[in-house]
């Protein structure tokens, strides 16, 4: 029986992933900001086969509570086999451009808080010599683009951080998984017109479930984003700066 | 927080209007407030209503599929509380392994629980189980004034009754408490009984209703005039013991695109009906089958509604009171024959005599016939007008969930209690259907 910790458990991708672990009969600890939503997700997972579901209310930007809440979640399940960090927002790029304060706040939500919790979890798991840490970053973190570079920079920083952490923990038994979804049809992206490149949260969830099981390092979800991003990453900056992507 | 999209209902009739789309993902959230004066709100589940009751042009459609959570379930009693956007298919996947089955299922499992309540749907077991609304213990209704009402037969009973079969007009149904039915497995013991005319159908059906929980008949609309009314009565009971039959899996076949013209025409109809008749009469009369092909035969072809081409199709379902059932349904089949437009599938079912749970419930004592017609413009609507006249004369009614064209006066005759629903309607909620049938002059 697996013990799964999910941070940002009310996000669409996290909820879809949690359902897959519930069907496996896992024990779950869920962390999210909104108590009503958190309880709605937890009650549903209990009916979908989860062995037990514990909930912890936390706003990712309450940095001083990270350690306490993560320790409580760990104790509630008596250990963690897989910690999935899925919280995040989609910043308003125009608002961030005009306000350094907004940029800093979005960075806290999408990058600093993630790095803080990942650090705490890594130090919790390292002495035990087993466990996975998966973090949802984004293909948007691969290249700086005018339309969403604050979001992209935050996700890109997390991707880079995870690369370093994986390198550090290599040989320790701790698996670090970088999850890079492309466009996903979720409440976070409700305002966007959808096209053929868009995926459903359920399909991303299946990709995460499989990548964790196979102890992958980095996954693009759906997989077709890997060749797309290889091309996008290879465009020289002097050409890229002229494009509107 | 939204984009405007043209939405079509399952009948795919051409529409001009577009709606603002808002996804509902959390049942505790408030309804979007900027609704009044902008065409109003309407909840839209999985879009399986055939006509315009699930559309709201120039207004807002609140999509409920994000509300698919189980709230509570007692495996000892089978009492389920869930959010309204859960599909019947998802409910079955979760509950059947635990020995529980929906109390009433229609011909597709791809409908939401909210839609099942709002249309007070019926199934092959109406003669014993009544309609879906009879199994609702309570529901939460969110009104545009911000109130959240727990409605049940004892609390806000008037709104509860108006919401069942209320076409989504009384507000947003956020959650539903539903009594499931205990079964030992997912198999059905099926029996086929051919009949050669309507009189035989009524005799055979009366006998079958005593032996079977589920009965429905297929009528051969392409039969020659001399054999009009022939068909096959399909009956079933939940089989004892665990499931032994496998489903074919989720929709293996799909209609990948809309053909430029309707593939449903005279020759294809005759061929289909003949093949169907032979397949059903040649096989064994008694078989044990999986519940999916028994209850949801059409779900095995994904997007089957595309075969009617870009102009879509009309579904027409009426109920005729017992005393005039045989004569009126005979006349309807005769009119269809005369028109030269057959129906791909014609489905006949006798309703029981239970009192309907909803204010505007379609089900009432009598016999119901459901028909599909490719949209051939005036030819089709003229035929449907003739069928309406037969239904009116016989004191029957047409099913709102499937309608796209009945006149206001016809609707108000079929549903004289409509004014009561109008009074209980949430002032911010409306639909194309409701405006069409209530605002047209008498």
């Amino acid at each position: 029986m697996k013990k799964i910790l999910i941070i940002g458990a009310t996000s669409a991708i996290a909820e879809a992933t949690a359902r897959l672990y519930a069907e496996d009969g896992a024990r779950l600890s869920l962390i999210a900001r909104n108590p009503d939503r958190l309880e709605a997700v937890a009650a549903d997972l209990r009916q979908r086969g989860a062995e037990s579901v514990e909930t912890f209310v936390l706003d990712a930007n309450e940095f001083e509570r990270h350690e306490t809440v993560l320790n409580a979640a760990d104790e509630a399940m008596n250990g963690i086999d897989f910690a999935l960090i899925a919280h995040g927002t989609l910043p308003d790029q125009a608002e961030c451009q005009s306000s350094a304060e907004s940029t800093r706040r979005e960075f806290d939500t999408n990058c600093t808080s993630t790095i803080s919790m990942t650090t705490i979890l890594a130090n919790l798991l390292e002495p035990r010599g087993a466990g996975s840490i998966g973090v949802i970053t984004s293909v948007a973190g691969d290249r700086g683009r005018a339309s969403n570079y604050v979001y992209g920079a935050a996700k890109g920083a997390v991707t880079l951080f995870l690369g370093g952490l994986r390198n550090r923990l290599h040989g320790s038994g701790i698996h670090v998984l970088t999850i890079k979804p492309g466009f996903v049809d979720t409440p976070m992206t409700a305002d966007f017109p959808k096209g053929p490149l868009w995926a459903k949260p359920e399909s991303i969830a299946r990709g995460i479930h499989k990548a964790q099981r196979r102890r992958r390092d980095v996954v693009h979800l759906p997989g077709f984003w890997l060749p797309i991003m290889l091309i996008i990453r290879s465009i020289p900056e002097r050409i890229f700066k002229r494009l509107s992507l | 927080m939204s984009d405007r999209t043209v939405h079509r209902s399952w009948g795919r009739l051409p529409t001009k209007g577009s709606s603002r789309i808002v996804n509902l993902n959390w049942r505790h959230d408030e309804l979007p407030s900027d609704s009044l004066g902008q065409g109003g709100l309407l909840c839209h589940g999985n879009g399986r209503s055939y006509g315009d009751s699930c559309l709201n042009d120039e207004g807002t459609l609140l999509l409920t599929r994000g509300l698919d959570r189980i709230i509570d379930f007692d495996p000892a009693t089978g009492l389920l509380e869930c959010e309204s956007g859960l599909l019947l298919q998802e409910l079955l996947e979760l509950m059947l392994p635990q020995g529980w089955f929906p109390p009433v299922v229609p011909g597709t499992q791809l409908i939401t629980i909210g839609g099942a309540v709002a249309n007070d749907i019926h199934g092959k077991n109406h003669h014993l189980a009544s309609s879906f609304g009879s199994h609702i213990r309570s529901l939460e209704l969110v009104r545009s004034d911000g109130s959240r009402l727990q409605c049940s037969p004892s609390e806000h009973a008037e709104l509860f009754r108006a919401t069942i079969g209320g076409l989504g007009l009384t507000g947003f149904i956020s959650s539903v408490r539903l009594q499931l039915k205990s079964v030992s497995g997912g198999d059905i013991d099926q029996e086929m009984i051919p009949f050669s005319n309507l009189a035989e159908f009524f005799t055979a059906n009366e006998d079958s209703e005593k032996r079977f929980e589920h009965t429905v008949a297929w009528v051969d609309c392409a039969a020659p005039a001399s054999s009009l009314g022939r068909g096959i009565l399909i009956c079933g009971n939940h089989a004892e013991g665990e499931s032994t039959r496998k489903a074919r899996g989720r929709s293996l076949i799909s209609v990948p695109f809309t053909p430029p013209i309707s593939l449903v025409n005279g020759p294809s109809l005759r061929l289909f009906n003949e093949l169907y008749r032979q397949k059903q009469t040649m096989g064994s009369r008694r078989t044990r089958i999986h519940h999916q092909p028994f209850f949801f035969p059409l779900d095995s072809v994904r997007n089957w509604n595309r075969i009617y081409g870009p102009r879509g199709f009309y579904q027409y379902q009426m109920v005729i009171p017992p005393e005039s059932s045989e004569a009126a349904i005979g006349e309807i089949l005769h009119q269809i024959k005369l028109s030269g437009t057959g129906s791909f599938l014609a489905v006949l079912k006798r309703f029981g005599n239970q009192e309907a749970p909803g204010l505007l419930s379609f089900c009432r004592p009598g016999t119901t016939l459901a028909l599909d017609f490719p949209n051939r413009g005036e030819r089709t609507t003229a035929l449907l007008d003739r069928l309406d006249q037969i239904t009116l004369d016989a004191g029957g009614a047409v099913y709102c969930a499937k309608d796209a064209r009945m006149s206001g006066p016809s609707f108000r005759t079929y549903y004289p209690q409509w004014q009561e629903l109008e009074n209980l309607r949430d002032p911010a909620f409306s639909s194309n259907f409701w405006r069409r049938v209530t605002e047209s002059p008498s």
Side-chain angles (χ1 to χ4, degrees):
Chain A
M1 177 193 47
K2 281 194 201 159
K3 300 163 185 173
I4 313 292
L5 167 69
I6 303 184
I7 297 156
T10 58
S11 94
I13 294 175
E15 186 176 8
T17 311
R19 286 182 179 182
L20 297 179
Y21 284 105
E23 284 164 25
D24 294 343
R27 297 176 73 165
L28 290 151
S29 278
L30 309 180
I31 299 178
R33 181 175 45 164
N34 181 312
D36 283 344
R37 294 179 179 186
L38 181 57
E39 219 21 77
V41 171
D44 176 69
L45 294 173
R46 287 185 192 111
Q47 296 300 337
R48 288 179 192 263
E51 158 96 12
S52 64
V53 185
E54 303 286 338
T55 59
F56 303 88
V57 177
L58 173 77
D59 185 320
N61 286 328
E62 298 172 274
F63 287 84
E64 64 287 355
R65 291 186 60 222
H66 282 187
E67 188 128 29
T68 319
V69 173
L70 291 174
N71 279 324
D74 177 54
E75 276 165 30
M77 295 189 293
N78 194 23
I80 296 169
D81 293 316
F82 177 39
L84 175 66
I85 304 185
H87 73 278
T89 55
L90 189 62
D92 180 336
Q93 174 65 27
E95 159 74 18
C96 287
Q97 270 168 231
S98 60
S99 158
E101 171 55 26
S102 295
T103 299
R104 195 187 64 78
R105 203 176 50 241
E106 293 295 354
F107 235 79
D108 276 350
T109 306
N110 290 296
C111 174
T112 322
S113 67
T114 305
I115 286 176
S116 160
M117 289 193 253
T118 308
T119 302
I120 294 165
L121 287 167
N123 294 342
L124 199 65
L125 296 187
E126 191 179 10
R128 300 178 191 168
S132 293
I133 300 171
V135 182
I136 299 181
T137 70
S138 171
V139 296
D142 281 9
R143 210 62 213 251
R145 297 174 302 131
S147 58
N148 71 346
Y149 64 81
V150 173
Y151 180 72
K155 293 295 189 182
V158 173
T159 300
L160 198 60
F161 177 89
L162 293 172
L165 184 71
R166 182 180 302 113
N167 192 201
R168 168 191 142 192
L169 294 175
H170 179 67
S172 73
I174 310 300
H175 160 227
V176 178
L177 170 64
T178 306
I179 301 152
K180 294 163 100 175
F183 300 137
V184 190
D185 185 0
T186 69
M188 192 174 91
T189 56
D191 290 350
F192 289 77
K194 310 293 188 293
L197 291 178
W198 287 76
K200 292 280 174 204
E202 292 75 23
S203 118
I204 306 299
R206 284 192 296 274
I208 294 173
H209 190 259
K210 192 164 137 190
Q212 190 273 330
R213 206 172 55 238
R214 297 191 175 175
R215 292 178 78 85
R216 295 277 304 274
D217 295 321
V218 181
V219 282
H220 290 75
L221 297 175
F224 62 74
W225 283 98
L226 176 62
I228 294 177
M229 295 322 292
L230 283 174
I231 293 165
I232 288 180
R233 279 203 299 263
S234 68
I235 301 171
E237 194 64 18
R238 85 191 132 76
I239 296 171
F240 198 81
K241 71 181 179 189
R242 298 167 208 270
L243 304 177
S244 67
L245 282 168
Chain B
M1 114 133 231
S2 63
D3 43 314
R4 293 189 75 84
T5 322
V6 177
H7 252 70
R8 281 190 182 184
S9 64
W10 194 243
R12 304 188 79 256
L13 292 167
T15 53
K16 291 177 217 75
S18 64
S19 305
R20 192 174 72 117
I21 301 298
V22 177
N23 286 289
L24 300 183
N25 295 296
W26 302 100
R27 66 177 186 274
H28 304 98
D29 284 5
E30 285 177 18
L31 287 175
S33 56
D34 53 344
S35 54
L36 279 170
Q38 292 189 18
L41 305 169
L42 184 69
C43 289
H44 181 103
N46 210 33
R48 249 50 182 194
S49 293
Y50 289 82
D52 54 358
S53 64
C54 61
L55 301 178
N56 194 23
D57 292 349
E58 312 314 317
T60 301
L61 286 181
L62 307 172
L63 305 195
T64 61
R65 277 290 289 127
L67 296 161
D68 63 350
R69 299 178 191 91
I70 310 293
I71 299 168
D72 197 16
F73 176 63
D74 183 347
T77 61
L79 189 61
L80 169 74
E81 185 175 12
C82 65
E83 293 180 343
S84 60
L86 188 75
L87 291 184
L88 217 42
Q89 181 181 49
E90 296 164 337
L91 186 159
L92 265 163
E93 282 170 6
L94 284 167
M95 298 303 159
L96 187 54
Q98 304 184 57
W100 295 96
F101 205 84
V104 169
V105 295
T108 170
Q109 54 180 335
L110 301 173
I111 62 158
T112 63
I113 300 299
V117 175
N119 293 292
D120 190 22
I121 57 137
H122 55 270
K124 303 178 189 7
N125 59 352
H126 186 276
H127 59 282
L128 293 176
S130 180
S131 52
F132 196 79
S134 299
H135 306 270
I136 307 296
R137 295 294 166 260
S138 67
L139 53 87
E140 186 186 67
L141 193 64
V142 182
R143 302 270 287 182
S144 62
D145 61 9
S147 58
R148 283 174 181 272
L149 308 173
Q150 278 297 329
C151 302
S152 70
S154 55
E155 271 179 291
H156 303 288
E158 208 182 14
L159 263 176
F160 180 69
R161 205 167 110 74
T163 301
I164 293 172
L167 303 167
L169 297 165
T170 56
F172 158 47
I173 304 167
S174 62
S175 65
V176 175
R177 276 174 71 234
L178 173 68
Q179 179 61 54
L180 303 181
K181 173 195 155 61
S182 168
V183 293
S184 55
D187 291 351
I188 297 288
D189 285 325
Q190 177 182 263
E191 188 171 323
M192 302 274 200
I193 304 160
F195 54 88
S196 50
N197 54 53
L198 283 179
E200 265 185 38
F201 160 76
F202 282 101
T203 317
N205 185 66
E206 198 179 333
D207 171 60
S208 311
E209 284 183 1
K210 294 179 196 132
R211 296 188 294 130
F212 292 97
E213 183 178 346
H214 303 278
T215 69
V216 72
W218 164 78
V219 184
D220 185 357
C221 262
S226 56
S227 317
L228 209 56
R230 76 177 176 194
I232 298 158
L233 187 59
I234 303 157
C235 310
N237 283 323
H238 291 275
E240 285 300 318
E242 287 179 16
S243 311
T244 57
R245 300 297 189 266
K246 286 223 175 353
R248 281 167 296 185
R250 280 196 183 194
S251 300
L252 287 180
I253 319 161
S254 171
V255 181
F257 60 90
T258 308
I261 54 157
S262 172
L263 301 181
V264 180
N265 49 41
S268 75
L269 271 171
R270 275 190 295 279
L271 183 67
F272 171 81
N273 279 275
E274 188 53 33
L275 286 175
Y276 187 86
R277 197 170 66 91
Q278 291 192 2
K279 176 175 176 274
Q280 304 294 13
T281 43
M282 276 168 61
S284 166
R285 294 275 166 87
R286 284 185 195 174
T287 43
R288 179 171 174 136
I289 63 168
H290 190 271
H291 65 275
Q292 278 180 21
F294 182 79
F295 288 115
F296 318 120
L298 287 173
D299 290 350
S300 57
V301 183
R302 206 142 40 96
N303 301 318
W304 63 264
N305 57 343
R306 288 178 177 165
I307 62 169
Y308 287 95
R311 299 179 72 186
F313 68 105
Y314 288 96
Q315 164 114 173
Y316 188 84
Q317 183 172 355
M318 89 303 291
V319 55
I320 307 284
E323 59 280 6
S324 36
S325 283
E326 194 178 330
I329 286 171
E331 178 58 20
I332 284 170
L333 292 176
H334 181 64
Q335 284 296 330
I336 296 169
K337 190 81 210 163
L338 283 182
S339 76
T341 355
S343 168
F344 194 58
L345 261 185
V347 175
L348 194 60
K349 160 83 195 158
R350 201 193 68 86
F351 286 150
N353 296 325
Q354 307 92 333
E355 194 187 342
L359 181 58
L360 239 66
S361 288
F362 167 66
C363 295
R364 56 198 77 189
T367 308
T368 184
L369 177 65
L371 305 151
D372 293 325
F373 299 103
N375 174 19
R376 296 205 182 105
E378 210 145 298
R379 265 173 73 189
T380 313
T381 50
L383 168 66
L384 297 179
D385 286 345
R386 286 198 294 282
L387 303 190
D388 255 359
Q389 197 53 55
I390 300 168
T391 305
L392 278 170
D393 292 344
V398 167
Y399 193 8
C400 302
K402 300 191 167 177
D403 179 70
R405 37 64 56 199
M406 73 166 112
S407 71
S410 299
F411 167 76
R412 299 190 292 257
T413 311
Y414 297 143
Y415 299 91
Q417 67 282 37
W418 72 275
Q419 190 71 50
E420 285 177 64
L421 178 61
E422 175 62 13
N423 295 339
L424 291 164
R425 180 170 69 88
D426 186 310
F429 279 68
S430 185
S431 67
N432 286 9
F433 174 83
W434 197 245
R435 289 188 290 272
R436 177 165 62 79
V437 298
T438 61
E439 290 172 9
S440 68
S442 51

